[in-house]
């Protein structure tokens, strides 16, 4: 296994140990400027991740949700970190939360790790090497139309607030089945071939960095709502690739 991937997995597992210590305990919840919640566990998880990554790659930059940008000597290489994706689930004792770690090199995500410690569920990928979980290599589904498939999505209000409510309605009506599994969790269905498309709005780069490479290396496609392959567009459309343009077209029915 490549050292970058090996260290990223070790960092994610180390953060998982911290998260499990705090999970389903009495936590003080604070709120950041954007009103998203944060706890002591979030901060300690990020600190532990940075400690592991810095120990192996002292020149790499760090871009984390809780402590922001920490530049390194290798300016074009940085780790993008979400210590606990799904903090609201974590706070309420719901086990669907995960540590997300992505490596960005020259503007491209090349390594990604998702680790859900409450379920001991690990997914990872590296550019050109495929995507994997504990069961082996991941492959997206081969269903060619959304009418036959499963549509996944995150918070519904985000579609209304962003002016995509009509598009969301068209998307729901065109799909065979629909389920709301937000945060990292919905994307794992796509990467594992269990769902055809996942759509989520109001996102930050750290919410998407490892998801992008995992979905792509599983044979799928990952873009923003404009169809641009990026983690900086504020939204994510992850699919098996075959239904991607259909999803984008349906969402474009604005208001």
């Amino acid at each position: 296994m490549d050292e970058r991937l090996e260290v990223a997995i070790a960092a994610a597992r180390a953060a998982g140990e911290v998260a499990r210590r705090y999970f389903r305990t009495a936590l003080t919840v604070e709120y950041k400027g954007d009103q998203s919640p944060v706890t002591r566990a979030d901060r300690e998880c990020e600190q532990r991740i940075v400690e592991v990554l810095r120990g192996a790659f002292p020149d790499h930059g760090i871009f984390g949700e809780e402590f922001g940008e920490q530049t390194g000597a290798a300016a074009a290489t940085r780790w993008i970190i979400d210590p606990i994706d799904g903090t609201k689930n974590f706070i309420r004792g719901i086990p669907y939360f995960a540590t997300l770690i992505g490596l960005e090199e020259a503007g491209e995500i090349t390594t990604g790790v998702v680790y859900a410690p409450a379920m001991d569920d690990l997914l990872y990928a590296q550019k050109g090497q495929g995507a994997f979980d504990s069961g082996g290599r991941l492959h997206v589904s081969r269903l060619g139309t959304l009418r036959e498939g499963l549509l996944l999505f995150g918070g519904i209000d985000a579609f209304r607030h962003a002016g995509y409510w009509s598009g969301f309605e068209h998307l729901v009506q065109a799909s065979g089945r629909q389920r709301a599994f937000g945060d990292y969790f919905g994307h794992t269905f796509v990467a594992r071939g269990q769902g055809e498309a996942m759509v989520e709005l109001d996102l930050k780069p750290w919410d998407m960095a490892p998801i992008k490479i995992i979905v792509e290396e599983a044979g799928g496609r990952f873009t923003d709502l404009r169809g641009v392959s990026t983690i900086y567009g504020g939204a994510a459309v992850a699919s098996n690739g075959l239904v991607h343009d259909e999803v984008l077209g349906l969402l474009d029915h604005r208001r």
Side-chain angles (χ1 to χ4, degrees):
M1 184 181 290
D2 180 270
E3 183 187 11
R4 293 164 298 176
L5 179 57
E6 187 175 351
V7 171
I9 290 173
R13 288 194 179 279
E17 292 176 7
V18 175
R20 275 194 295 264
R21 253 193 348 257
Y22 285 105
F23 186 49
R24 293 177 177 164
T25 66
L27 285 167
T28 298
V29 181
E30 302 170 35
Y31 290 89
K32 295 180 280 190
D34 62 359
Q35 293 306 299
S36 61
V38 63
T39 71
R40 179 178 179 180
D42 294 89
R43 296 188 178 108
E44 288 190 18
C45 283
E46 185 163 321
Q47 288 169 337
R48 186 72 182 100
I49 293 165
V50 171
E51 180 181 306
V52 174
L53 295 177
R54 285 279 198 221
F57 307 110
D59 291 339
H60 289 187
I62 303 285
F63 183 33
E65 178 176 8
E66 306 308 336
F67 296 103
E69 185 88 28
Q70 303 174 48
T71 58
T77 302
R78 68 175 181 174
W79 296 93
I80 302 176
I81 301 165
D82 189 343
I84 299 180
D85 183 54
T87 296
K88 291 179 181 178
N89 284 348
F90 178 79
I91 290 166
R92 301 200 65 176
I94 299 169
Y96 303 116
F97 63 90
T99 292
L100 311 185
I101 302 175
L103 177 62
E104 183 179 56
E105 299 181 89
E108 181 180 10
I109 304 299
T110 59
T111 300
V113 173
V114 171
Y115 180 57
M119 298 181 291
D120 193 25
D121 188 23
L122 175 71
L123 295 84
Y124 57 91
Q126 201 157 34
K127 187 72 174 177
Q129 301 301 312
F132 300 84
D133 66 7
S134 59
R137 190 157 189 161
L138 303 180
H139 300 279
V140 297
S141 78
R142 302 307 301 164
L143 289 180
T145 66
L146 202 54
R147 175 55 60 195
E148 305 170 10
L150 172 62
L151 168 69
L152 302 123
F153 47 86
I156 294 175
D157 273 355
F159 291 91
R160 190 188 306 279
H161 293 155
Y164 281 93
W165 188 252
S166 177
F168 178 69
E169 287 182 324
H170 279 81
L171 192 57
V172 167
Q173 290 165 5
S175 57
R177 297 177 64 230
Q178 311 84 30
R179 291 293 183 270
F181 296 120
D183 305 314
Y184 83 97
F185 192 44
H187 297 281
T188 67
F189 287 80
V190 175
R192 286 174 162 142
Q194 299 165 332
E196 282 56 63
M198 166 70 176
V199 183
E200 194 164 22
L201 280 62
D202 193 22
L203 300 177
K204 301 293 192 296
W206 47 75
D207 297 314
M208 299 180 272
I211 301 296
K212 182 178 186 294
I213 186 70
I214 289 170
V215 169
E216 289 174 343
E217 286 296 314
R221 185 177 169 194
F222 183 100
T223 73
D224 64 10
L225 298 179
R226 300 167 298 157
V228 178
S229 178
T230 180
I231 62 170
Y232 297 104
V237 179
S239 81
N240 67 357
L242 300 176
V243 303
H244 205 92
D245 289 338
E246 182 184 1
V247 171
L248 293 176
L250 289 162
L251 280 171
D252 199 41
H253 289 83
R254 302 285 294 273
R255 288 194 171 89

